[in-house]
Amino acid sequence: MASLSKFVGIPTTCVEYMHPWSDHCVNATAGLLLQSCSESLRIYSAVYLLSLVMRGKIPSRKDLQRTLHGMLQSTAFLTTNAFTFSMFVCLLRRWLGKLYFLTVAFVPSWMASFCAILVERPSRRGLLCLYVANVATETYWRMLESRGLVHPIKYGRVMIFGLSATILLLLYRSGLHKTQNDGLFDIIRFVVGKSEEAHAEDAERPPDRPPVARPAIPHGSILRIVHDKVMGFLRALPKHFSCPHRDSCVSYTLQGGTKLFCVGLGLQLTLSLVFQMGKILRNPSAIKRILRSRDVMKIALFLGGFSALFRATSCSLRHLLGRDSPYHAVPAGLLASTMFSQYPDTSVCLYIMWKMLQITYKLGIERKIVPRIPGATIFLYCTFTATLFHVAMVEPRNLRPSYWKFLHSLSGGRSAAIDRIPVDLWGLETSKQLMEVLKSTRTDFNVKFLL
């Protein structure tokens, strides 16, 4: 069947497209409201309670009240985003008499997102915008790739991560990050070391390590003896006078790489065990397979290699040039970023890219290089979210599977039950794409509707 122009409307009803399970728009919207409210509360209860536990202290009454208020407000935000989407689709269809390409999902989702983001706390809007920007960027690429306009680039994610991380490291080494109060720089400080935070010539030199009185070593503690001798030998090796760290360059490099390797290994093991707990409970021998998997080493190799290469390159440049400079972060960051090839995660890559853009834009505003755009965060959030909803409705194959599962869960399966056959007239094979996505993500549309 020949495809219609995207500007041609389809004379279909919202019952045939938006809610084939219900003959009434109000009932369908109310059912989605109840389902999304329940699911949103479940999601944000876990998020806020985990955040409360991660503080590592007994919460006060004020902390509990703040947590409860934030949980309910975020639940209201996500619920509003979900049920007003259905409401605006039906309203636009009634007002215009037909379904148009942009009113199938993009325009109603933009309107729903605008209503929802105003419900959420202003302090969380930037974080939400960053998240949907991450997913939408990948979606735009998938859309272009499916149309043959772009092709996969070998090590493309490594290059994006490398350029973005290098700019952030340059800001960190130059001290420009201190005005941002961004948690990402705490992570950078942990990975590359506090000694690299500012100009070495301006930094206060830490005193040389004083001799530490060791307790008496019991007989047979050969590992402790070997450890002390090796560490003593490494610390005694030379370092350049411009190096801001306390121990030798070799010790400084190895300590950073080893520490981050252990952190990455522990993180990957924890994640693997948590996400595969169901398999482990059914078959305890699966633990051996998890521990022997090569995937367990990916984050460890990335973090450990990144820290070690950055420190080693920075120290080498100080030895070669005879001085320290924040611009050493450029070659050191680019070289260290090659370790991202061990863990080329798209989400991490795009998150670092968007954080870099956000931080540099804020610095540009502070220095009056670029103008402040009022409402930019809200506009971007609405546009990116509308893109994701539109792709889910019209070409779901190009949506990140995890985001499809999120929409499916939030709507109680209604996102799959929406009839895509009327949309097939635009020539995107939407209903065929939907069947492929349902099969690959193991989701379905046999759901128990609330109304």
Side-chain angles (χ1 to χ4, degrees):
M1 182 182 295
S3 62
L4 295 176
S5 168
K6 301 300 187 296
F7 298 101
V8 176
I10 300 176
T12 186
T13 66
C14 33
V15 174
E16 295 171 340
Y17 163 67
M18 190 64 202
H19 46 83
W21 59 87
S22 175
D23 293 334
H24 303 284
C25 300
V26 174
N27 289 350
T29 301
L32 184 56
L33 185 152
L34 294 176
Q35 167 61 32
S36 59
C37 182
S38 173
E39 184 66 16
S40 300
L41 184 60
R42 184 189 68 82
I43 293 172
Y44 280 112
S45 295
V47 170
Y48 278 90
L49 290 177
L50 180 61
S51 175
L52 195 63
V53 171
M54 292 295 290
R55 294 180 182 179
K57 62 179 183 179
I58 299 176
S60 63
R61 183 176 179 179
K62 188 175 181 180
D63 292 334
L64 293 174
Q65 290 176 343
R66 189 185 299 112
T67 299
L68 179 61
H69 181 269
M71 185 191 308
L72 294 176
Q73 190 169 5
S74 294
T75 298
F77 148 76
L78 191 54
T79 302
T80 302
N81 213 337
F83 87 88
T84 55
F85 168 68
S86 175
M87 181 184 73
F88 283 125
V89 169
C90 294
L91 287 175
L92 289 172
R93 212 283 316 169
R94 287 176 178 271
W95 293 340
L96 301 176
K98 295 181 180 180
L99 277 178
Y100 292 90
F101 189 72
L102 290 180
T103 62
V104 165
F106 187 87
V107 174
S109 177
W110 204 101
M111 298 166 68
S113 301
F114 181 77
C115 295
I117 199 67
L118 296 179
V119 175
E120 186 57 282
R121 301 197 312 274
S123 59
R124 278 182 47 81
R125 292 173 185 173
L127 183 63
L128 291 167
C129 180
L130 193 68
Y131 169 71
V132 292
N134 186 321
V135 185
T137 303
E138 180 183 353
T139 303
Y140 288 136
W141 178 268
R142 286 171 176 252
M143 292 169 67
L144 293 173
E145 190 175 11
S146 67
R147 289 162 171 78
L149 299 176
V150 297
H151 301 282
I153 302 174
K154 190 175 183 180
Y155 301 119
R157 286 171 291 188
V158 177
M159 289 187 285
I160 293 174
F161 176 86
L163 291 173
S164 304
T166 299
I167 293 174
L168 291 171
L169 287 165
L170 179 60
L171 297 177
Y172 177 76
R173 288 243 41 211
S174 302
L176 296 175
H177 67 288
K178 294 180 179 179
T179 62
Q180 297 304 303
N181 192 28
D182 196 294
L184 180 62
F185 288 109
D186 294 332
I187 299 176
I188 293 176
R189 184 182 297 109
F190 178 76
V191 173
V192 303
K194 189 176 181 179
S195 300
E196 305 288 347
E197 189 165 359
H199 294 283
E201 56 268 24
D202 297 333
E204 182 180 349
R205 286 285 195 274
D208 291 336
R209 184 184 296 273
V212 179
R214 299 286 186 185
I217 300 174
H219 293 290
S221 184
I222 186 67
L223 292 177
R224 177 65 178 274
I225 296 174
V226 172
H227 173 269
D228 287 350
K229 287 186 176 295
V230 171
M231 293 305 299
F233 170 76
L234 293 176
R235 292 188 182 115
L237 292 174
K239 72 166 187 173
H240 195 266
F241 73 90
S242 65
C243 287
H245 51 84
R246 178 164 42 193
D247 297 326
S248 69
C249 296
V250 174
S251 175
Y252 175 65
T253 299
L254 292 178
Q255 283 181 1
T258 303
K259 181 181 73 172
L260 268 297
F261 180 86
C262 294
V263 169
L265 185 60
L267 178 63
Q268 184 67 68
L269 282 173
T270 302
L271 292 175
S272 299
L273 293 174
V274 168
F275 287 122
Q276 300 190 47
M277 186 59 67
K279 293 182 180 179
I280 294 173
L281 293 176
R282 291 191 298 269
N283 182 18
S285 62
I287 296 179
K288 295 182 180 180
R289 186 170 65 255
I290 294 173
L291 296 178
R292 292 174 182 173
S293 174
R294 295 180 61 184
D295 294 340
V296 172
M297 303 293 291
K298 288 183 176 180
I299 297 181
L301 290 172
F302 161 53
L303 291 177
F306 187 95
S307 179
L309 277 176
F310 184 86
R311 294 186 180 201
T313 306
S314 298
C315 287
S316 299
L317 291 171
R318 286 188 279 259
H319 280 271
L320 289 172
L321 302 177
R323 60 184 178 84
D324 191 20
S325 170
Y327 294 104
H328 291 173
V330 175
L334 291 174
L335 184 60
S337 296
T338 59
M339 293 305 299
F340 190 66
S341 60
Q342 301 298 318
Y343 182 69
D345 186 82
T346 303
S347 296
V348 173
C349 162
L350 295 177
Y351 174 79
I352 295 297
M353 181 192 76
W354 278 106
K355 285 297 291 185
M356 180 272 295
L357 293 174
Q358 179 191 46
I359 291 170
T360 51
Y361 176 65
K362 286 183 178 179
L363 284 171
I365 293 175
E366 290 178 3
R367 296 181 170 229
K368 302 186 184 304
I369 299 174
V370 295
R372 181 186 298 275
I373 303 175
T377 300
I378 294 178
F379 175 81
L380 290 175
Y381 171 79
C382 295
T383 303
F384 289 139
T385 305
T387 299
L388 296 176
F389 271 68
H390 188 80
V391 171
M393 295 299 107
V394 178
E395 42 188 311
R397 187 192 299 147
N398 293 324
L399 192 66
R400 183 186 292 182
S402 60
Y403 198 81
W404 168 262
K405 291 180 180 179
F406 163 72
L407 293 179
H408 185 272
S409 176
L410 182 64
S411 64
R414 290 167 175 80
S415 61
I418 294 173
D419 191 358
R420 305 315 202 275
I421 293 178
V423 185
D424 283 338
L425 293 175
W426 280 312
L428 294 174
E429 299 183 329
T430 304
S431 57
K432 179 181 178 181
Q433 290 193 37
L434 177 64
M435 293 299 106
E436 293 176 3
V437 170
L438 295 179
K439 183 178 180 180
S440 63
T441 58
R442 296 181 180 180
T443 51
D444 56 58
F445 48 80
N446 295 320
V447 294
K448 296 180 181 179
F449 299 113
L450 298 175
L451 286 178

